[in-house]
Amino acid sequence: TYQQIAALEPKVEAYLEIDAQRAVALEAAKAADERGYGEDAPLLNGIPIAVKDNIVTQNLRTTAASKMLENFVPTYDATTVERLKAAGAVIVGKLNLDEFAMGGSNEKSAFKVTHNPWNLNKVPGGSSGASAATVAARQVPASLGTDTGGSIRQPASYNGVVGIKPTYGSVSRFGLIAFGSSLDTIGPMTLTVEDNALVLEAIAGYDEKDSTSLQDIDTNYSAKIGQSLAGMKIAFPKEFKSEEINEEVREAMEAAADFYRSEGAIVEEVSLPYSKYGVDVYYIIASAEASSNLQRFDGIRYGHRSEAAESLEDVYVLSRSEAFGDEVKRRIMLGTYSLSSGAYDAFFDKAARVRTLIRQDFDKVFAEYDVIMGPVTTSTAFDIGGRVNNPLEMYVADLLTIPVNLIGAPAISVPAGFDSEKLPIGLQLIGKPLDEATLYQVAHAYE
Ligand code: GLN
């Protein structure tokens, strides 16, 4: 692991913290060796795993790629990290992201830009771009990412790895630095579908420290891997075949649909008419929730405090002005506006209502079908610098991933070949809430 990290890190630049963890990681690896790798070894014994830097780690700096938290060393582990350690995994370091997970390219990190290992001039996607890139570069076999509007699936697709956004509430958010609390999820990114299911088994399940955590869920996610797809009903929405989607991506999806038919599945066209409003709804709701969640960074309790402040108001205003990046400020302003008394009815309330219509679309399809398929993104990885100054173009890129966060369902990105530039294409499979096992079954078949 460390050899591969040393060899490729100068090119990929995935890590925000690695050296500070080395002694602890080697110690944990030694303990794993002592436990042995027999039948009764813990599920992930000795497996090196890296963690996105908006998930807190005890005694290991956690920045969310923001100057606000540049020197923040948490005193506790997030539940997901605690569970990885309990399963025997070795935490090797912390991964770059767009600041506070707001973005889709890793270019919005306050510290560095991560590169796509398939072509170093391309973005790895985001916000979990480094979580995908480090797996694609074979630096680690697995990582944790987070997905609020597509941030696990989009980079998984751009880097040719497997990434799942689990059902909202199935993985604890305790210790995740909150962005949009009704949308945020944590999930694994891996090289294979089976590895993905096993890491999810280790981190999922009820946690009393997260008030939205679901009780008594079945976490036997790998149960159906390898089972036949005969008779499985797969919906392919016509909105996922639209002109906005690059032709090579569309062809790759048709090939996947043909494959599933050849395996005995029934693939039929359906419609999700309200999903086209997903991006609009998402940027209102996610920004509103972000503006509220980010209030805690006030320069008083922890985080950056301006040296220039001479009054209490200065402490708030200057600390926040100095430490938040442009994208984060944009979200705070958008969110504060849509929650304000004059704009609430026209924006936040309306967005919440349209969110229900989007959910009803999906409910109708899931009454008849087991899984929904389509692309993860409208194109493959774009050039570094290509969209960074055009927030609208960046926002629309999440067209196909965002509706799933709005409804809370699980969705997986699985590699589906390459385009003519040799950049990976991702197939997205969306499942019924809590039916990750079927997603892994269908994803595994296409691997
Ligand atoms: N790209 C989306 C955004 O900028 C999604 C981010 C995410 O899922 N964390 O909000």
Side-chain angles (χ1 to χ4, degrees), residues 52 54 98 100-105 126-128 146-154 179 184 282-283 286 327 331 394-395 397-398 401-402 405:
K52 187 176 177 182
N54 58 346
D98 292 291
F100 287 107
M102 297 172 191
S105 69
S127 61
S128 316
T146 67
D147 193 314
T148 302
S151 279
I152 287 177
R153 289 159 289 155
Q154 183 253 37
F179 165 10
D184 290 343
Y282 168 84
Y283 278 96
E327 187 59 34
R331 308 282 176 114
M394 200 79 100
Y395 294 177
D398 298 323
T401 49
I402 275 176
N405 297 78

Side-chain angles (χ1 to χ4, degrees), residues 39-122:
E39 282 286 292
D40 50 356
L43 184 61
L44 303 175
N45 200 34
I47 305 291
I49 296 187
V51 176
K52 187 176 177 182
D53 205 26
N54 58 346
I55 300 172
V56 303
T57 41
Q58 189 175 26
N59 300 331
L60 183 61
R61 201 162 64 103
T62 300
T63 67
S66 179
K67 288 207 180 101
M68 185 56 89
L69 293 175
E70 192 163 5
N71 301 307
F72 175 49
V73 180
T75 55
Y76 63 100
D77 275 326
T79 298
T80 44
V81 172
E82 199 177 83
R83 289 187 182 176
L84 286 179
K85 288 180 177 171
V90 176
I91 306 299
V92 298
K94 301 301 292 288
L95 294 159
N96 197 25
L97 64 151
D98 292 291
E99 185 177 359
F100 287 107
M102 297 172 191
S105 69
N106 264 241
E107 294 163 296
K108 298 291 182 184
S109 164
F111 305 120
K112 56 164 78 164
V113 177
T114 298
H115 298 253
N116 189 313
W118 294 96
N119 177 338
L120 297 172
N121 298 320
K122 303 282 178 184

Side-chain angles (χ1 to χ4, degrees), residues 193-194 221-230 232 263 437-447:
V193 170
E194 196 171 2
Y221 298 123
S222 51
K224 291 160 81 175
I225 288 180
Q227 287 181 14
S228 157
L229 301 188
M232 174 89 61
E263 292 287 300
T438 301
L439 281 189
Y440 284 123
Q441 177 192 3
V442 178
H444 178 75
Y446 198 55
E447 238 180 342

Side-chain angles (χ1 to χ4, degrees), residues 183-195:
L183 305 156
D184 290 343
T185 54
I186 300 178
M189 306 184 75
T190 56
L191 277 176
T192 73
V193 170
E194 196 171 2
D195 287 355

Side-chain angles (χ1 to χ4, degrees), residues 176-229:
L176 164 63
I177 297 172
F179 165 10
S181 305
S182 77
L183 305 156
D184 290 343
T185 54
I186 300 178
M189 306 184 75
T190 56
L191 277 176
T192 73
V193 170
E194 196 171 2
D195 287 355
N196 204 282
L198 295 178
V199 178
L200 187 60
E201 283 176 11
I203 62 173
Y206 178 66
D207 178 17
E208 62 178 15
K209 293 183 191 141
D210 173 357
S211 64
T212 57
S213 178
L214 298 169
Q215 302 202 24
D216 299 323
I217 61 172
D218 181 3
T219 59
N220 194 358
Y221 298 123
S222 51
K224 291 160 81 175
I225 288 180
Q227 287 181 14
S228 157
L229 301 188

